[in-house]
């Protein structure tokens, strides 16, 4: 299996399906999650890089907020087409299914690859990018600024304490402080 070609094809597939979805679950998000996952995986030599890479890139292709399908239909279609074995496809899909914040509240992924990709996705909800995505998603769903700010407390600010890996915790520290500083500034202005 040529991993580089596979990775590129997976990215093309994501662009076809997600394009520039304005709510923050777009191709650019998938690429950032992939990049975060590679960064975390550098310090986790025991992980399976093929599973980590493909799960990170494909993690939103069956997102329930965008698609109405079951059993990782889009991810499975791509991976099957690429001749990936059924066993590896199941492992990738299990990782993808451990990523969603709302569906996995308080549940730790059972595999190292799941921990890495879950952390990679959650890091993208923190810091400057996390703020941008929160308002983009809020606007798309008709939420007021106050309602979007509530999302900071419900999700963004609890992420730091729920991360799985030390590498993600290191990256999160600065992004978390930035969120707190942003909220403080916002309160002062209001
Ligand atoms: Ni995501």
């Amino acid at each position: 299996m040529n991993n580089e070609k596979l990775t590129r094809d997976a990215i093309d597939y994501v662009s076809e399906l997600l394009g520039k979805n304005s709510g923050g679950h777009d191709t650019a998000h998938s690429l950032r999650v992939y990049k975060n996952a590679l960064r975390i995986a550098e310090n986790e030599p025991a992980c399976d890089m093929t599973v980590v890479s493909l799960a990170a890139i494909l993690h939103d292709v069956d997102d329930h907020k965008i698609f109405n399908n079951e059993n990782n239909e889009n991810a499975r279609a791509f991976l099957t087409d690429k001749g990936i074995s059924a066993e590896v496809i199941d492992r990738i899909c299990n990782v993808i299914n451990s990523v969603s914040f709302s569906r996995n509240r308080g549940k730790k992924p059972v595999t190292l690859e799941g921990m890495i990709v879950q952390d990679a996705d959650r890091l993208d909800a923190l810091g400057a990018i996390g703020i941008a995505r929160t308002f983009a998603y809020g606007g798309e769903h008709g939420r007021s600024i106050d309602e979007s700010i509530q999302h900071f407390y419900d999700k963004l600010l609890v992420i730091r304490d729920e991360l799985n890996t030390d590498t993600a915790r290191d990256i999160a520290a600065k992004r978390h402080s930035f969120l707190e500083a942003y909220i403080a500034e916002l309160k002062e202005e209001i």
Side-chain angles (χ1 to χ4, degrees):
M1 181 166 31
N2 178 341
N3 272 327
E4 215 175 293
K5 165 98 169 75
L6 192 55
T7 304
R8 251 182 298 137
D9 288 351
I11 292 169
D12 288 346
Y13 184 65
V14 169
S15 338
E16 267 168 47
L17 284 172
L18 299 179
K20 287 194 197 148
N21 175 308
S22 63
H25 292 269
D26 53 7
T27 309
H29 163 67
S30 301
L31 287 174
R32 288 191 302 271
V33 171
Y34 172 51
K35 213 173 104 191
N36 290 342
L38 293 182
R39 210 166 143 189
I40 298 168
E42 262 177 41
N43 297 323
E44 306 293 340
C47 76
D48 181 327
M49 276 312 296
T50 304
V51 171
V52 167
S53 302
L54 290 172
I57 297 167
L58 298 171
H59 81 277
D60 270 341
V61 298
D62 293 288
D63 190 293
H64 66 280
K65 294 196 260 338
I66 310 168
F67 301 101
N68 185 17
N69 58 24
E70 271 172 36
N71 196 24
N72 306 92
E73 201 178 305
N74 290 334
R76 282 180 191 280
F78 172 81
L79 296 165
T80 305
D81 183 57
K82 294 292 161 192
I84 312 282
S85 75
E87 186 256 336
V88 174
I89 293 178
D90 280 343
R91 283 169 56 211
I92 292 170
C93 290
N94 283 338
V95 170
I96 290 175
N97 296 339
S98 69
V99 171
S100 162
F101 186 82
S102 53
R103 292 192 164 181
N104 292 288
R105 215 53 215 265
K107 269 191 273 169
K108 286 257 176 211
V110 289
T111 63
L112 176 59
E113 292 77 12
M115 291 181 192
I116 293 170
V117 181
Q118 189 188 69
D119 279 2
D121 185 57
R122 290 181 183 184
L123 283 175
D124 205 49
L126 295 180
I129 192 68
I131 294 170
R133 290 181 67 219
T134 300
F135 288 116
Y137 185 85
E140 191 185 43
H141 291 82
R143 288 184 189 159
S144 68
I145 287 181
D146 275 352
E147 284 167 330
S148 285
I149 295 297
Q150 185 54 42
H151 184 71
F152 281 52
Y153 294 98
D154 295 340
K155 176 179 170 183
L156 277 46
L157 289 168
V158 305
I159 285 177
R160 182 187 60 176
D161 298 325
E162 294 191 0
L163 293 167
N164 308 296
T165 65
D166 287 340
T167 312
R169 272 188 285 273
D170 280 351
I171 301 169
K174 185 178 166 207
R175 296 186 182 197
H176 185 92
S177 311
F178 185 80
L179 283 180
E180 288 179 329
Y182 176 81
I183 292 172
E185 171 72 19
L186 187 80
K187 277 191 181 153
E188 204 183 300
E189 290 178 16
I190 292 172

